[in-house]
Amino acid sequence: MAQSIRTQAELANELGLSRMTVQRALAGYQGVSEATRKRVMEAAQNHGYRPNAAARSIRTGKFGNVALLGSAEEGPGYLPRLLLSGAQQVAQENDICVMVSEHSREEFETQDFEPRVLSQWSTDGILINNQQEISDRLFEQVKAYKLPAVWLNVKLKANCVRPDDMDAGHRAATMLMDAGHKHIGYISHHGERHYSIEDRGEGVAKAVTDAGLKLTFNKHYDGFSICLGMENVMQWMDSPNRPTAVVCYEQQEAVSVYAAAMKLGLRIPEDLSIVSFGSSPCRIATGLPISTLVVPFEQVGRAAMAMLLDWIDTGEEENEPVALPFEYDEAGSIVPPVDA
Amino acid sequence: MAQSIRTQAELANELGLSRMTVQRALAGYQGVSEATRKRVMEAAQNHGYRPNAAARSIRTGKFGNVALLGSAEEGPGYLPRLLLSGAQQVAQENDICVMVSEHSREEFETQDFEPRVLSQWSTDGILINNQQEISDRLFEQVKAYKLPAVWLNVKLKANCVRPDDMDAGHRAATMLMDAGHKHIGYISHHGERHYSIEDRGEGVAKAVTDAGLKLTFNKHYDGFSICLGMENVMQWMDSPNRPTAVVCYEQQEAVSVYAAAMKLGLRIPEDLSIVSFGSSPCRIATGLPISTLVVPFEQVGRAAMAMLLDWIDTGEEENEPVALPFEYDEAGSIVPPVDA
């Protein structure tokens, strides 16, 4: 490897050129011959010279990066790939870099926890992805750093972006009732309680109640250890009081319901309509034709980063919370009930 | 918000202390009274002062961060959450930050594409997550930057870390044959061809051939548009020549096979043993008891970051490629065939 060069001055010295010529050549300004520009670029590459972001950040007082600070735990730290992508796209459009920093629950709960992203990395702002439980301390600590900070997938009075789960629940039930269903159930299952479980369920229940009907059942299976599974689902499906349509909290429930229906000889959608929520369309993720309200994670990432960059720019510390609508992937699993 | 302070000198001035005292207090060195230390820390927090990483990086010539450079496309840019976590954990254990930078196929294919992560961010090294097609140009370009660079999930002669798909295929078939199966099929489906499709299949075929048997079938459904789905699977499953055991490329195939079996009145595992590969256990992701060889993404992330940091430290440019074994989640879907 050729000798490493760290500054434009060193590069100019090496080439026997003035520092201004080197600077102009690297920046692509006019007033430098093509031959010189080529010579400078080649030398820069040979010597591993890269424009010095550190020096630039000292000049501007901004660091040109934001951090995604998250929980390293499976539940609270759930970080959908599309959310990261959406945030990263908007950052990139604005010439900003994204750093990722994840920490264990223990670390978050330590009295003097100070993630490097806050104390040392010198970042212009943070997105916070810690969905399960925001301790008052963490909240106050972030405030104390006086850094712009936007929260992901939580419900707060300001500075947060999340999917609109209640609206999605309402829409799911409404689609089923529009098709003629009067007996609708909701099933959910999750490792840790997340507000979306209740919100989707409340949306479903509200739509049903507003139509003068009653939710047939609302079943919640707690914890990954009591894994939902087909056998569980068959218990309630193989009864005369079973609903004609079921709303599923996530793909897992939808797959269990589908397989249980097949085993019991029920046809989907003729004997049982089904609609699921999901981080991706069930049809794509499983090969089963289950209509899905898809969580708009990419949009959440984009909107959160946009809010953060706006705050960094304007200093506006109180941004209206944003709740974004789900997308709908129609896969044909909702039809009128047999007796309609 | 209190007036913002950017340097230790400003902070010292504000407090009427010497700069050395401020520096010692912030660094937690001895020789500063607890009262002074407290006063400095409080003032630092009130004024939003943070130790200046930019200044430090100019001193040391290292930037204290590495970048994860990836494709923004759904297929090639597939970035499992656990891979990112694993890489991030190892970086953090070494006091290094991770920046994420994703780019479209168009960007990667532009003649003079120079991601900021290479040209401007000033990073100490990169992990590259662009799994589908590494153009010679990208490869040469990364080399030209003279930056340590480790490739994820691709097969190269050096500097790459990936799961050992062929070994996993071999293990899957061997488990089925150990249970007594002689008629084994392999089905796969993917949006874009990835080496893992062939490698898992080759591993299965090799194990079967080595045992003096013949693979009953090797079906590949191409593209997300011709979505696998239960109906497709039923066509081959409802025949007298169907295998007694099937190996599935991913969770999607496993779910389709499971549901098709239920619809045809076949019992799993009694009438059909099934084993899947997957980025997480099928049992957890779907609620169906399907035994799964789980891709060790967290380990891949950890190993790749360890290789990269080692390279940054030692300057060693030729690191042996690493292939990591899958983990096994036993869910009871492999039993001896009925006629065994």
Side-chain angles (χ1 to χ4, degrees):
Chain A
M1 183 164 167
Q3 196 200 331
S4 176
I5 277 182
R6 286 282 173 194
T7 70
Q8 288 184 7
E10 283 170 30
L11 191 57
N13 195 41
E14 169 82 18
L15 290 165
L17 293 170
S18 77
R19 189 166 161 194
M20 182 165 292
T21 303
V22 167
Q23 191 175 15
R24 282 171 178 267
L26 288 171
Y29 293 147
Q30 295 182 329
V32 179
S33 74
E34 181 57 22
T36 303
R37 200 190 65 81
K38 266 201 164 168
R39 204 176 131 222
V40 171
M41 296 303 275
E42 276 173 23
Q45 203 164 61
N46 285 337
H47 293 279
Y49 169 77
R50 299 185 300 277
N52 200 318
R56 197 178 55 233
S57 76
I58 285 181
R59 278 200 314 277
T60 62
K62 289 219 171 151
F63 301 102
N65 65 62
V66 296
L68 179 60
L69 174 65
S71 165
E73 315 287 330
E74 191 150 0
Y78 177 55
L79 176 62
R81 190 257 187 305
L82 285 173
L83 195 156
L84 177 61
S85 286
Q88 203 271 337
Q89 283 162 28
V90 171
Q92 198 166 297
E93 287 157 19
N94 290 276
D95 235 16
I96 298 279
C97 309
V98 178
M99 288 186 298
V100 176
S101 174
E102 290 178 348
H103 303 272
S104 68
R105 177 164 306 191
E106 268 174 17
E107 286 178 289
F108 270 114
E109 283 170 3
T110 305
Q111 193 52 38
D112 55 356
F113 171 57
E114 229 185 53
R116 281 190 77 198
V117 66
L118 292 181
S119 62
Q120 292 198 293
W121 296 4
S122 304
T123 189
D124 295 321
I126 53 177
L127 295 183
I128 300 174
N129 187 47
N130 188 13
Q131 304 172 32
Q132 227 71 37
E133 38 189 321
I134 300 178
S135 69
D136 288 349
R137 206 183 55 73
L138 175 60
F139 199 74
E140 289 307 316
Q141 200 188 29
V142 167
K143 260 192 157 164
Y145 277 104
K146 301 183 191 306
L147 267 182
V150 171
W151 302 75
L152 293 163
N153 282 344
V154 291
K155 288 168 99 169
L156 298 170
K157 287 189 189 145
N159 304 323
C160 63
V161 179
R162 61 180 176 87
D164 195 340
D165 292 283
M166 208 176 294
D167 173 67
H170 200 279
R171 282 167 60 195
T174 302
M175 285 192 288
L176 292 169
M177 291 188 297
D178 285 350
H181 289 276
K182 294 187 168 63
H183 307 285
I184 297 170
Y186 173 62
I187 68 168
S188 59
H189 160 270
H190 207 269
E192 304 196 44
R193 302 298 281 195
H194 185 251
Y195 75 86
S196 59
I197 298 172
E198 275 77 29
D199 275 22
R200 293 177 193 172
E202 269 185 46
V204 171
K206 188 172 184 315
V208 169
T209 310
D210 287 355
L213 299 171
K214 228 185 98 186
L215 202 58
T216 304
F217 66 64
N218 182 342
K219 284 198 188 294
H220 179 77
Y221 297 86
D222 223 346
F224 274 109
S225 53
I226 316 170
C227 193
L228 186 56
M230 203 179 52
E231 300 303 323
N232 259 326
V233 173
M234 282 178 62
Q235 287 175 14
W236 59 258
M237 219 196 255
D238 199 13
S239 99
N241 295 323
R242 71 167 179 83
T244 60
V246 65
V247 182
C248 299
Y249 171 66
E250 253 287 2
Q251 180 204 305
Q252 184 185 29
E253 291 82 343
V255 167
S256 296
V257 167
Y258 203 102
M262 292 298 104
K263 184 146 190 185
L264 292 169
L266 298 174
R267 296 163 303 163
I268 286 181
E270 294 84 352
D271 300 323
L272 184 70
S273 281
I274 177 171
V275 55
S276 180
F277 310 103
S279 52
S280 64
C282 286
R283 194 164 54 105
I284 303 295
T286 67
L288 303 181
I290 299 166
S291 296
T292 310
L293 283 153
V294 182
V295 189
F297 277 128
E298 185 169 352
Q299 299 310 320
V300 168
R302 294 190 66 93
M305 183 59 79
M307 184 185 282
L308 182 63
L309 296 184
D310 195 56
W311 183 350
I312 292 170
D313 259 12
T314 64
E316 177 51 55
E317 296 180 31
E318 290 289 327
N319 300 281
E320 287 286 313
V322 169
L324 294 169
F326 284 46
E327 285 155 32
Y328 182 52
D329 180 69
E330 157 68 45
S333 65
I334 301 178
V335 297
V338 171
D339 63 353
Chain B
M1 182 165 166
Q3 196 202 328
S4 175
I5 277 182
R6 287 281 174 195
T7 69
Q8 288 185 6
E10 284 169 30
L11 190 59
N13 196 41
E14 170 81 19
L15 290 165
L17 292 170
S18 77
R19 193 171 156 191
M20 183 166 290
T21 303
V22 168
Q23 191 176 15
R24 282 169 177 270
L26 289 171
Y29 294 149
Q30 295 183 331
V32 179
S33 74
E34 181 57 22
T36 303
R37 201 191 63 82
K38 265 200 164 167
R39 205 175 131 223
V40 172
M41 296 304 274
E42 277 172 24
Q45 201 162 64
N46 285 337
H47 292 280
Y49 170 77
R50 299 184 300 278
N52 201 318
R56 196 178 55 234
S57 76
I58 284 180
R59 277 201 314 278
T60 60
K62 289 219 174 153
F63 301 101
N65 66 63
V66 296
L68 180 59
L69 174 65
S71 164
E73 315 288 330
E74 190 149 1
Y78 177 56
L79 177 62
R81 192 256 186 303
L82 285 173
L83 194 157
L84 177 61
S85 286
Q88 203 272 337
Q89 283 162 27
V90 171
Q92 198 167 294
E93 286 157 21
N94 289 277
D95 236 16
I96 298 280
C97 308
V98 178
M99 290 187 297
V100 176
S101 175
E102 290 178 347
H103 302 273
S104 67
R105 176 164 308 192
E106 269 174 16
E107 287 179 287
F108 270 114
E109 285 171 0
T110 305
Q111 193 51 39
D112 55 354
F113 172 57
E114 229 186 53
R116 279 190 77 198
V117 66
L118 292 181
S119 62
Q120 292 197 295
W121 296 4
S122 304
T123 187
D124 295 323
I126 53 177
L127 295 183
I128 301 175
N129 187 46
N130 187 15
Q131 304 172 31
Q132 226 70 38
E133 39 189 322
I134 300 177
S135 68
D136 288 348
R137 206 183 56 72
L138 176 61
F139 199 76
E140 289 308 314
Q141 200 187 29
V142 167
K143 260 194 158 164
Y145 277 106
K146 300 183 190 307
L147 268 180
V150 171
W151 302 76
L152 293 163
N153 282 344
V154 290
K155 289 170 96 168
L156 298 170
K157 286 190 188 143
N159 305 322
C160 64
V161 180
R162 61 183 176 84
D164 195 339
D165 292 283
M166 207 175 295
D167 174 66
H170 199 279
R171 283 167 61 196
T174 303
M175 285 192 288
L176 292 170
M177 291 189 297
D178 285 351
H181 290 276
K182 294 186 168 62
H183 306 284
I184 297 171
Y186 172 62
I187 67 168
S188 59
H189 160 272
H190 206 271
E192 304 197 43
R193 302 296 283 197
H194 185 251
Y195 75 84
S196 60
I197 298 172
E198 275 76 29
D199 275 20
R200 292 177 195 173
E202 268 184 46
V204 171
K206 187 172 185 318
V208 169
T209 309
D210 286 355
L213 299 171
K214 227 186 98 186
L215 203 58
T216 305
F217 66 64
N218 182 342
K219 283 196 188 293
H220 180 76
Y221 297 86
D222 222 349
F224 274 109
S225 53
I226 317 171
C227 193
L228 188 58
M230 203 180 50
E231 301 303 324
N232 259 327
V233 173
M234 283 178 61
Q235 287 175 13
W236 59 258
M237 218 194 258
D238 199 14
S239 96
N241 295 325
R242 70 168 180 81
T244 61
V246 64
V247 182
C248 299
Y249 171 67
E250 253 289 2
Q251 181 203 304
Q252 182 185 31
E253 291 82 344
V255 167
S256 296
V257 167
Y258 202 101
M262 292 298 106
K263 185 145 188 186
L264 293 169
L266 298 174
R267 296 163 303 163
I268 287 180
E270 294 84 351
D271 300 323
L272 184 71
S273 281
I274 177 171
V275 56
S276 181
F277 310 103
S279 53
S280 64
C282 286
R283 194 165 54 105
I284 302 295
T286 67
L288 303 181
I290 299 167
S291 296
T292 309
L293 282 153
V294 183
V295 188
F297 278 128
E298 186 169 352
Q299 299 311 318
V300 169
R302 293 190 67 92
M305 184 60 80
M307 185 185 284
L308 182 64
L309 297 183
D310 195 57
W311 183 350
I312 292 170
D313 261 12
T314 64
E316 176 51 55
E317 296 180 31
E318 291 289 328
N319 300 282
E320 285 287 312
V322 171
L324 295 169
F326 284 46
E327 285 154 32
Y328 182 52
D329 181 69
E330 157 69 47
S333 64
I334 301 178
V335 297
V338 171
D339 63 355

